Structures are given as structure tokens and as C-alpha cells.
Amino acid sequence: RTNTEVLEHIAAENEFTKQITGGNEMIDLRSKLYDEMKDRLQETDYSCPSIIKGLTNSSQYWYYVRTMEGCSYSVFCRAPVADSAANQGGQYDAVMDIATSWDGSPTAPILPGEVQYLNVNVLASQGKDGKPHEYCSVGEMEESPSQSLIAYTLDVVGDEVYKLFVERMRTNNHAAPSVDAKDRVDSSSLVVDHDANLECDGTVVWSNDDSSLFYVEMDDTLRSYKVRRRSLSQNQQKKLEDDEVIYEEKDELFDVGIGKTSDEKYLLVSTSSAETSEVHYLSLEDDNGTSTTLRCVAKRQVKVLYDIDHWNGNWLITSNAGGSTNMKLLTSPVNNVNSSENESSSPHAHWKDVAIHPSPLAVEEQSLPLFDGGPNRALESIVAFQNHVVAYGREGGLPRIWILKLQQEQSLTPSDNTKGENDASQLSLPPLRVIGFAQLSLQNDNKIKENEDIKAGFDIGLGPNHQYNTSDLIIAYDSPTEPPQAIVVNMNDYFNEDNGTAQQKLQLILKKSVVPGYDPSQYSSHREFVLSRDGKNRIPVTLVYHKNITFPPTSPDNNYNGKKSNKVHPLHLYGYGSYGDSCECDFDPTRLPLLDRGIIYAIVHVRGGGEMGRQWYEDPKHGGKYLSKRNTFFDFIDVASHYSTGESKITDSSLLSIEGRSAGGLLIGAAINQEPELFKCAILGVPFVDVLCSMIDSTIPLTVGEWEEWGNPNEEYFFEYMKGYDPMRNVKIDGTYPSCLLTGGLHDSRVQYWEPLKFAAELRHAQDSDKSGPVCLKMEMSAGHFSASDRYKYLKELAFDYAFLLDQLGLVMRRTKQGEEENPV
């Protein structure tokens, strides 16, 4: 990154791209696209406020994040909760009133008593030599238990290596201090703790008071591997080596993460690979929170994953123990932890399925587990509340939320939680009892069309829920045509007291995202399924488009608003398909400039993702991992072929563009190698395209942990399989390739900058340059894997990508002799 020859080569690539895309019409188009995106951005806005309770009942505050017009970064804010709200009387009235009480200006407070306690714009302005940082990203921002301190982590390079800062909470609206500790030495400084040499992975967790916190150190390959506890003393300048090590993971396949249980009684230290995990816990109530004695819930067992939360003396466990396809929901008393003295028994033998028991008499009866790990209902995570557990997962390819109502006749006191450990004779804890179970539903959820195979896509997830002792649940909802909403529901409303069944529910919309100038009635979306080439899998596809679009006569009226024709349209396919991550059917205002120009935007939910459950990712034959990875690429190509040929044709190869980022860039690289003439234009963002070289070299950051995703190419059978799809090794000699734009970040620690450089060179060298489109590379010199941190600069980068796409598809507005713009679509 400092080698002169390398930097000169990157500069030459950027200059070449500038020449290809530097015409006046392209410059005007980028400017126009940027303006359109910015015009749809509510520049002065705020996130949904949520309550965080301090150590005393009187210290409750609303926490939220603001953005201001013209400011590139966020501002962290808080405001006191009124006494009436603190007593649960009209708790959300203040938030509901913002729409009428706030005048919408940057200077006016969102809530009465607002304090702007961390202004990232100020942090970004305080770079070296008085210059602003070109990149600035806050990893985590955590309030201390008393809410008088804040701890935050900061990356000003883009390599995801963070510095740790601890400061006093501001009590007025003065500006945040400089990032540079040397500028914060006066008596009024708010800095409590900062070591310029301390680097971490960005996560930070407070202990049970303000005296100490935990963070995770990384090794030379940026693997999170060591948990340290840092004591805070204003009278002592501490260094990293002074911080106590409470856990160290020596297996290079495993990464370490930290967090707290929902009730904040335990620190959780999770160490996991892609296929195996182990969780340790530390009581934050023992020895006044100063204990560093970790206990293991269950020792690691190959290909067994588990995660935990705590509820009233029980562990709530999500796990695939026993070889289940998806995660099961299990429980075990806290005091029945894994015993190292009993190696002969399974570490999971005492875990029990969580099942519904409407009455105490039913506890001993056989009952079906609520989440049995089967293929139809995929559990992903859980969050515990005082009387409920909320489960998040997928069913029918769509995200779902379920609510469990819990009851226990007696509970353990905190001091009992660790008594009798490993002594089964003392396990007198009553069984955890689920007395109600319901799937959360919304008025605009579950939009089932007449054809059951086609459903409108949506995205639903958990919102900012920071209170344990509450029955209110904040959820987030959006869809391809509906901007995000924050909605609160009362979990008790989902159950009839007599039989635990779902009943009529009341929901309050706390906040609707405003998209200026957007009219949802002008757009439509739907999901449909495309059969895979082996005829055994149905690939979900989510399409969103302007309602002016017409479709083939074979398309059912209820899918396409009754507008039918044989006209073809530009179609843009987006895909990812790795790590079991799902591409959700969400709302993105930056797509609107494409939709308004007649482009159909389609998200292809290929195998390798988690949309249809873990089997969509992990199945050895029909999944998208290891030796079935090619299914990911086949799915994408099959969908592209489906829409460009036959009765379902809505586009052709001259109007078909594709896009993917990171592992999605691998998808695009493999697709254009297999079917280069099928596509007109391809955008490969920070693409993972040099698979073999990266996976062979264990000194490259994050490589070893990736062996359980792609395979270890140091083993011959993996080497040969990966060689068969590695984009760098499969470019067709004299092939006719689409126009390609590759982007990268010089400081990217996930996909090294040389990967797009090498692939661009290989494409130009091998393809038929007379018949193929141009190969352009744009390297961002001050960013990493996630592009620009400045929100306006990010829109400019995106406008560049979309201008290239529109130009290569021939969709650039051309001026007529009369000076009017003419749309070629």
C-alpha cells in the first residue's frame, strides 16, 4: 500500500477509467444521478428513539442518532425520559409527538432536553496536520451502566482496525473533542481513557459498573482472538499490556466475540468457526463484578454450533446439536454447565427442547418442540425479556418473528445461579414453561397473492430494544416499495390468557422513514420462483419496477398489474449467495433512479445464502458451499436465462446487467466466465475473484477462517474444485465479455486491493477486445471494504457505478437538436 510501483499502477488504472467515463454526457449523468439520490434523502433526520435505563430508576434516557443537512456523519444524542414515561404511563407518547413537536430543522432538538454527546462530524474533522480524516467510522458506541461515561471505537483508515476511547458523557451541547488525544489535555477535557497503541476489533462491553470494560484484541491476520478487561482509573495511564487477559483463542479457525445476556447478568465470550462454536460466561454479579473466572456452557464439538441467552436461571440455546438441518431452541439450567470431568457424555446431553406447556400439569407430557431444527422453519436468533422470548428466523423464504410467553413457578436468586455447578443432584430448578407461542404479524405483512407461489417480498427485524423489563417490542419493517417503519407492539396482546392463542393486536408506528418526492403507488414488486437446472430447487427472485412496465402475455394479471406486451426491458440482477447470509427484500431509495429509467431491479436469492434455511447454504449436494458452491453460480445464470429467453422473456442480453459485491463479486465473476455473452454489463464491487491464491496463503488476513466456507485448497480435492470456478483461472480466451466495472478499496482487509487489479488485467489480456465491452477499474484510495464513510461521497460513488451501467446499456439521455432530453427506453 506504500509501494511506489503499485501506487503508480493503481493511479494508471484510475486514469484509464476516468478517460473511458469522462465525457461531458457521462459527467452530467453522474451529477444528475447524484442529485436524484440526494433529493430522495431526508438529510435532516433521526433514528427511532429507544429507552436505556441506568443504575437507578431516575436515570432513564431516550437514545437516538441524528443526521443534519450538509453534514456527512451522524450525531449521537440522548434526552431524559419524562417521569410519566418512566412509570410506564404513555411511554411512547413523546416519540409519537415528534412528528408535530419537532419543526424539522437541524438546530431544534428532537426531544426536550436533548444532548448531542458524540458528533462524528467533529471526529472526522480532526485528522493529522489539521486536515480532516478521509475515512471515519464509529464501530460501537456504548453507554456505561451509570450512563455517565461513553466508550466508543473508531476506524479512520477503513481497514476495520479500531481505536478505543472512553469519555465523560456530555451534559450540554458543546462540540465533541478531537480524535487526537494530544489535543485533549486541558482540565475541561472529557477524556477518561485512551491508549493510542491499543487496537481492537471494534466491539466493547461494559462490566456491571463504570469501573471496567471488555474489548477484543486482534492478531496479525486481523483475527479476533483475545478478550481483555480494562480497568478505568483517572490517576493511572494504562497500556494494552496492563489489561487483564480473560480469554485467548489459539485455534486459527476460530474467532472470538463478546456480548452480554439480555438481562445483563452475564458477559458472554463466544468463540466460533463457520461450523463449530463454544460459549463461555462470566457472572457480572459475582465478587461485585470483578470476577474473571470464565465457565464453559458446553465444550466445542465439531460441526455443532450454539448461541445462548439467559432467562431466570436458564440458558436459552439455539443450536444444531444432533445434526439438525436448522437451529433448534433448547434450554438448560445455568448451573448444569459442561463438566470437563465427564468426557464420556455428550456436552449437550442435558439440553432439552423448548416446547409449549399451557398448564403446569402438561410439563411432563410429550409436546412438540417449537423449533425442531427441521427444514421448514429456520431459527436464527433469540432475545430474552422478563416474561417473553422473541425468536427471529425464516419461513417460506421470508423473515419471521415469533413471540414466546414464559412462566416459571420459582426463580433462582443471582447467588444461586452458580451453586451446585456440575452437581446433578442439586438441579432442582423447575422446567422452563412456555405458556404461549405466536407468530408476529402486521397489517401490511403476509401479502399473499392469489397464486400461492408468488408473494410480495418484505423485510422484518428487531428494532432498538434495550429494556429487559418490558412487554413492548420494537420491530422494523420495510419492503421493496415501502420505506422503513419502526413499530411497537405489546407482546401480551398476542395471547389470550385462557389458552395462550394469538388474538387481536394493537400496533403503534413510532417512526416512518420519509423519502422526499417518493410516491409508492407508482411502483410495484413481487416474488416468483425460477426452477434450477436440475429441476429440484425453486430459486426465489424479488422484482421491483415502475408500474409503467409491461410484461409478456403469459404473465398472470395479478403479478404485473394487467399491463402486458412482448416488449423487452432493461433488467438488472443483483446477487450474493455466501456464508448463509440472506439478501432481504428491502427498500433502497438509491434504486429509484434506475426504476424511473425503466429498469427492472431483481434480487436473485441464490443458494449459498440463507433465504430458504440453512439447507439452502449447507446441504452437501443442493446447497451453496464447499463442493456444492457451483450451485450458486448456476442459479444466477439460470435466472438470467429464464428472463432473457422463452415465454418468460422480459429482457435480452443487450439489456441485461448484473451486480454483486465481495463474495457477490465472485458470483458475478464466475457468471461472466461461464456465460460471457449472456450479459451486457457487470459491476463487481470489491470482488473476491482470486480465490485460490487468497485461500492458499494463510498469512493473508481472515484466510484460515474462510476454509470452512470454500474449502482448504491445500487439500487436492478442494484445490481442483475451486480451480474449476475461480474467476482468475477461468477467463475464456478470445471470449466476448460484457462491459465490466470493478471497484476496490486500498485499505480493504477482507478482499485485498490486488484482487480486482489482477482480474481486470486478466480480462483485458484474454478476452476478444474488439467484441467485448471495456474493462474499467476504480480504486478508492481512502476507504476499505464498505466504500466511503461520508454519506454524500458514498452516493457519488454509487452514482458513478450507475452512470457506467446506464451508459453501457445505451440508456443515457441524449439531447435532441431541439435541446430536449430523449429517453432511449
Side-chain angles (χ1 to χ4, degrees), residues 259-275:
K260 280 183 179 179
T261 54
S262 295
D263 59 8
E264 300 192 343
K265 291 183 177 181
Y266 296 96
L267 173 78
L268 302 179
V269 178
S270 303
T271 178
S272 62
S273 68
E275 298 182 335

Side-chain angles (χ1 to χ4, degrees), residues 606-636:
V606 295
R607 281 175 283 179
E611 288 89 341
M612 305 301 289
R614 292 190 67 87
Q615 65 272 25
W616 200 241
Y617 165 52
E618 290 187 319
D619 188 275
K621 289 186 178 180
H622 302 291
K625 173 181 175 174
Y626 279 149
L627 301 179
S628 63
K629 187 61 198 174
R630 289 179 185 171
N631 289 333
T632 303
F633 319 132
F634 293 157
D635 286 356
F636 196 78

